[in-house]
Amino acid sequence: MKIHILGAASTQFGELWDQSLTDLLQLAINGSIKDAGVEPGEIDAVFVANMAAGLFEQQLHLGPLVSSMFDHQPPAFRLEAACASGGIALIAAQNALLSGSCSTALVVGAEKMTDVNAGRATAILSAAADQSREYGSTFPGLYALFAQAHMNKFGTSRQQLSSVTVKNHRHALDNPQAQFHRELSLDAVSSSALIADPIRLLDCSPISDGASSVILSTKKPNRKVPTIIGRGHAQDSLSLSQRKTLTSIPATTKAAQQALAQAGLSPADIPVAEVHDCFTIAEIMATEDLGFFAEGEGGRAAESNLTTYNGQLVINPSGGLKAAGHPVGATGIKQVAYLSKLLREQKYKYGLTHNVGGTGATAVVHIIKA
Amino acid sequence: MKIHILGAASTQFGELWDQSLTDLLQLAINGSIKDAGVEPGEIDAVFVANMAAGLFEQQLHLGPLVSSMFDHQPPAFRLEAACASGGIALIAAQNALLSGSCSTALVVGAEKMTDVNAGRATAILSAAADQSREYGSTFPGLYALFAQAHMNKFGTSRQQLSSVTVKNHRHALDNPQAQFHRELSLDAVSSSALIADPIRLLDCSPISDGASSVILSTKKPNRKVPTIIGRGHAQDSLSLSQRKTLTSIPATTKAAQQALAQAGLSPADIPVAEVHDCFTIAEIMATEDLGFFAEGEGGRAAESNLTTYNGQLVINPSGGLKAAGHPVGATGIKQVAYLSKLLREQKYKYGLTHNVGGTGATAVVHIIKA
């Protein structure tokens, strides 16, 4: 049974002081319904991805909040997997579609992160780590461990990390909804404030508000739309102390292999991908773990412009988490929304999305066909 | 395709000072695997129900936390729907099973609620309400509105409310894992401290720690086990101000009708049910909304002993949320776990479970066959 992506929409990503979580959800939903050309009454299940509205906004139970935006109040589910909440909501929606319990599902993700101060936001984001074993760790600190290990083992350089940011900020100029529309020089990135050695401010994705929505259906539409032809979903330990490697995210490799096998494709068939660049080192590791470049070659690939237009494949045309923004619950859905629009324009035949939770405890990969 | 309940287990429910959230999850999982007689490696997906570990324990991303309890780290999902988190995790698991994406799924729910003080716990529980519209409301306050309306419209009495507590505390004597093993008199309930008129302390389910787990499979087992033959899942507004009635929970009726229709049964066929008695008035409304008694007759039915042994049907043989305890994420799963054990003992042919989120914004009903 085929999963058709009937429509997709994202809100502006950024510091949206005048929009609430509910406003953002409603905007993305309205946009995707309009884009899909379906009647609201055709939506027969709702999947809501959100990491931490309970912590940011004192609001749990988002399923009925979204369901009640429809007169017929379809059954609703809220999924959470830290920064991979969007990815697993997509998987849960496909399970429901393939089970026959619904035939057209709305998947919406949102996060409203700017209503608390930076200290509180940091505390909330660290709630996805396994605090009992990694007390005191922060996300930049954990990704700094990855970066140190990758630099030591493969010679990945400061300049290579910076080249990821420079590329993603340049790509974001094409995405009107990106949080940042500002080109950066390698020097600007390399000399930005040190956060957790070697990670600097401009290696980090930002704190963002935003929402994204896609409408998936097993019903054949009367026009050509992209379809999901492969999906992968893998787990690993929450704590890095339980891992065998600090230079890759094994769950990414596992999820990618599942998704590519299901699609009958190899990494070389993929011309475009939205990958989870919460930090620059994360994009470099992702391009290796997904099979686009050999182990240890991700940094050199970025530096040599193999991951942009006229290179080997385009990584993060939206600007990625770094420049388009990272409203956590929205991210995994925005990746599919953004790529599905590019694929509808027949710019590419296939696309891959890659969404990671925490430091790789959850990884979700999708393959989309134009 | 049939959904077999291969095994089930719950931990002790109560104030478990010496057990962490992880301990409770592990205990329930081990118990259900042993009860099912499966190898851990046969579990090919994990569904985790939890309302608010992010708020109670600063721990999100429970999917991989549970997945990592298995050597093969199966794909994991965390579901949240306030007090119906367990119910929707069961629905999501069945979607996955029926889609063919897995064949044996573990569904586990847990909540660790006693590591914060009572004020903080109250604030966390109210995060499931729609705060933007009902600022200042508490759960007892909202259920007090239901109780006032029900008393005014149908003459439901203080004594009738108390009879629910007395029965559930008596039933809990049969459940070794119940939080309370203490018979109460009608007078003791009716004279307990007033919380939100007319709701008194002994009308309320307690703050509890605990976990429950069931193992569901589409594979036919080599022995007779109960099967899920009907399921219903319905939504309503988070806010009571959007409802047309304060004397019933329409989502319960909708979910029950779906589940009964799927099972091909009527309410009169059901000899035993675990219903969502977060407050005594909730049980009275549930027995009406589920179709066991006519509208307005739930209070009199409880008072006349129609909801206990040798009555019309047995409501809450476990002691319900009131006396067995209400570790929020566990509750919907414990209902199925408890009934499936009674059904395995051939005490009843059919059983019904009923799990509610918030004040009825989510309702999930299952019908189980021995």
Side-chain angles (χ1 to χ4, degrees):
Chain A
M1 197 147 43
K2 272 194 180 173
I3 305 279
H4 305 277
I5 306 173
L6 297 188
S10 295
T11 66
Q12 180 65 43
F13 283 9
E15 295 187 8
L16 309 175
W17 304 107
D18 56 353
Q19 284 167 317
S20 69
L21 181 69
T22 305
D23 294 337
L24 293 169
L25 285 162
Q26 185 78 68
L27 271 171
I29 290 168
N30 291 353
S32 65
I33 287 176
K34 191 176 167 202
D35 187 54
V38 297
E39 293 299 318
E42 292 177 61
I43 304 295
D44 49 17
V46 164
F47 296 80
V48 186
N50 173 265
M51 173 178 168
L55 290 154
F56 282 113
E57 300 284 310
Q58 286 73 56
Q59 182 64 62
L60 294 166
H61 211 184
L62 298 182
L65 188 143
V66 170
S67 174
S68 290
M69 293 174 180
F70 295 83
D71 289 341
H72 66 300
Q73 296 178 319
F77 300 81
R78 178 219 161 184
L79 281 297
E80 181 269 319
C83 306
S85 297
I88 71 148
L90 288 162
I91 300 275
Q94 291 168 80
N95 283 341
L97 288 163
L98 295 172
S99 77
S101 80
C102 62
S103 56
T104 302
L106 178 130
V107 194
V108 63
E111 210 82 38
K112 176 73 189 171
M113 304 174 75
T114 62
D115 284 352
V116 299
N117 62 34
R120 178 94 188 107
T122 304
I124 290 170
L125 291 171
S126 72
D130 186 347
Q131 296 226 326
S132 63
R133 283 177 226 147
E134 295 189 326
Y135 190 77
S137 62
T138 63
F139 271 121
L142 295 169
Y143 275 90
L145 289 177
F146 283 133
Q148 294 278 7
H150 208 274
M151 291 168 113
N152 286 339
K153 188 165 176 187
F154 302 117
T156 301
S157 69
R158 174 65 258 169
Q159 173 112 343
Q160 290 168 1
L161 295 175
S162 298
S163 65
V164 171
T165 298
V166 169
K167 167 187 67 75
N168 287 349
H169 272 251
R170 195 174 62 243
H171 286 183
L173 297 175
D174 297 331
N175 175 5
Q177 291 162 317
Q179 183 159 358
F180 301 118
H181 289 122
R182 178 181 165 209
E183 284 205 75
L184 291 171
S185 68
L186 287 171
D187 267 3
V189 183
S190 299
S191 61
S192 62
L194 195 62
I195 303 293
D197 193 18
I199 289 181
R200 292 177 179 270
L201 182 65
L202 294 176
D203 288 304
C204 308
S205 56
I207 299 290
S208 316
D209 303 325
S212 290
S213 175
V214 297
I215 294 178
L216 306 181
S217 183
T218 49
K219 290 189 199 161
K220 196 172 154 51
N222 53 13
R223 66 194 193 289
K224 191 168 162 58
V225 299
T227 51
I228 298 177
I229 59 167
R231 57 183 181 143
H233 170 191
Q235 312 291 157
D236 206 334
S237 63
L238 283 171
S239 167
L240 290 189
S241 62
Q242 310 297 310
R243 305 275 178 89
K244 289 197 180 69
T245 170
L246 284 178
T247 54
S248 72
I249 289 183
T252 293
T253 304
K254 206 168 153 185
Q257 287 171 350
Q258 285 170 22
L260 287 163
Q262 199 179 354
L265 298 176
S266 77
D269 296 317
I270 306 294
V272 63
E274 287 281 323
V275 311
H276 199 91
D277 61 322
C278 47
F279 299 94
T280 49
I281 185 65
E283 175 168 320
I284 288 173
M285 291 198 299
T287 59
E288 299 171 9
D289 296 336
L290 293 165
F292 298 132
F293 301 103
E295 188 187 12
E297 291 301 318
R300 277 177 285 276
E303 190 177 25
S304 339
N305 296 315
L306 296 181
T307 55
T308 187
Y309 302 100
N310 304 314
Q312 180 180 322
L313 82 168
V314 183
I315 298 283
N316 284 326
S318 74
L321 284 57
K322 172 64 199 83
H326 182 27
V328 175
T331 287
I333 296 163
K334 165 240 154 185
Q335 295 176 327
V336 171
Y338 197 85
L339 273 197
S340 69
K341 295 216 167 185
L342 295 184
L343 267 61
R344 258 154 57 179
E345 295 162 5
Q346 302 295 320
K347 289 191 174 151
Y348 306 96
K349 187 168 177 193
Y350 300 111
L352 178 148
T353 64
H354 164 247
N355 187 202
V356 170
T359 51
T362 297
V364 176
V365 171
H366 283 101
I367 314 282
I368 309 173
K369 182 171 181 281
Chain B
M1 197 147 43
K2 274 195 178 171
I3 305 278
H4 306 277
I5 306 173
L6 297 188
S10 294
T11 66
Q12 180 66 43
F13 282 10
E15 296 187 9
L16 309 174
W17 305 107
D18 56 353
Q19 284 167 318
S20 70
L21 180 69
T22 306
D23 293 338
L24 293 169
L25 286 162
Q26 185 78 68
L27 270 172
I29 290 167
N30 290 353
S32 65
I33 287 176
K34 191 176 167 201
D35 186 55
V38 298
E39 293 298 318
E42 292 177 60
I43 304 295
D44 48 18
V46 164
F47 296 80
V48 185
N50 173 263
M51 173 178 169
L55 290 155
F56 282 114
E57 302 283 311
Q58 286 74 55
Q59 181 65 62
L60 295 166
H61 211 185
L62 298 183
L65 188 142
V66 170
S67 174
S68 290
M69 293 175 180
F70 294 83
D71 289 342
H72 65 301
Q73 295 177 320
F77 300 80
R78 178 220 161 182
L79 281 298
E80 182 269 319
C83 306
S85 298
I88 70 146
L90 287 162
I91 301 276
Q94 290 168 80
N95 283 342
L97 288 163
L98 296 171
S99 77
S101 80
C102 62
S103 57
T104 302
L106 179 129
V107 193
V108 63
E111 210 82 38
K112 175 75 189 171
M113 304 174 74
T114 62
D115 283 353
V116 299
N117 62 35
R120 178 94 188 107
T122 304
I124 290 169
L125 291 170
S126 72
D130 187 345
Q131 296 226 326
S132 62
R133 283 177 226 147
E134 296 188 327
Y135 189 77
S137 63
T138 63
F139 271 121
L142 295 170
Y143 275 91
L145 290 177
F146 283 133
Q148 294 277 7
H150 208 273
M151 291 167 113
N152 286 340
K153 187 165 176 187
F154 302 117
T156 301
S157 68
R158 173 64 258 170
Q159 173 113 343
Q160 289 167 3
L161 295 174
S162 297
S163 66
V164 171
T165 298
V166 169
K167 167 186 69 75
N168 286 349
H169 271 251
R170 195 174 62 243
H171 286 183
L173 297 174
D174 297 331
N175 175 3
Q177 289 162 319
Q179 183 160 357
F180 300 119
H181 288 122
R182 177 181 164 208
E183 285 205 74
L184 291 171
S185 67
L186 287 171
D187 268 3
V189 181
S190 298
S191 62
S192 62
L194 195 62
I195 302 294
D197 193 18
I199 289 182
R200 292 178 178 270
L201 182 65
L202 294 176
D203 288 304
C204 308
S205 57
I207 299 289
S208 316
D209 303 325
S212 290
S213 175
V214 296
I215 294 177
L216 305 181
S217 183
T218 47
K219 290 190 201 161
K220 195 172 154 53
N222 53 14
R223 65 193 194 290
K224 190 169 163 57
V225 299
T227 51
I228 298 177
I229 59 167
R231 57 183 180 143
H233 171 191
Q235 312 290 160
D236 206 334
S237 63
L238 282 171
S239 166
L240 290 189
S241 62
Q242 310 298 310
R243 305 275 178 89
K244 289 198 180 67
T245 171
L246 284 178
T247 54
S248 71
I249 289 183
T252 292
T253 303
K254 205 169 154 186
Q257 286 171 349
Q258 286 170 22
L260 287 163
Q262 198 179 356
L265 297 176
S266 77
D269 296 318
I270 305 294
V272 63
E274 287 281 324
V275 311
H276 199 91
D277 61 322
C278 47
F279 299 95
T280 49
I281 186 64
E283 176 168 320
I284 288 173
M285 291 197 300
T287 59
E288 299 172 9
D289 296 336
L290 292 165
F292 298 133
F293 302 103
E295 189 187 12
E297 292 300 318
R300 278 178 284 277
E303 190 177 26
S304 335
N305 295 314
L306 296 181
T307 56
T308 186
Y309 302 100
N310 304 314
Q312 179 180 322
L313 82 169
V314 183
I315 299 283
N316 283 327
S318 75
L321 284 57
K322 172 63 199 85
H326 182 26
V328 174
T331 287
I333 296 164
K334 166 239 153 185
Q335 296 175 326
V336 172
Y338 198 86
L339 273 197
S340 70
K341 294 214 168 187
L342 294 184
L343 267 61
R344 256 155 58 179
E345 295 162 4
Q346 302 294 321
K347 289 190 175 151
Y348 306 95
K349 187 169 177 191
Y350 299 111
L352 178 149
T353 64
H354 165 247
N355 187 201
V356 170
T359 50
T362 297
V364 176
V365 171
H366 284 101
I367 314 280
I368 309 173
K369 182 171 181 280

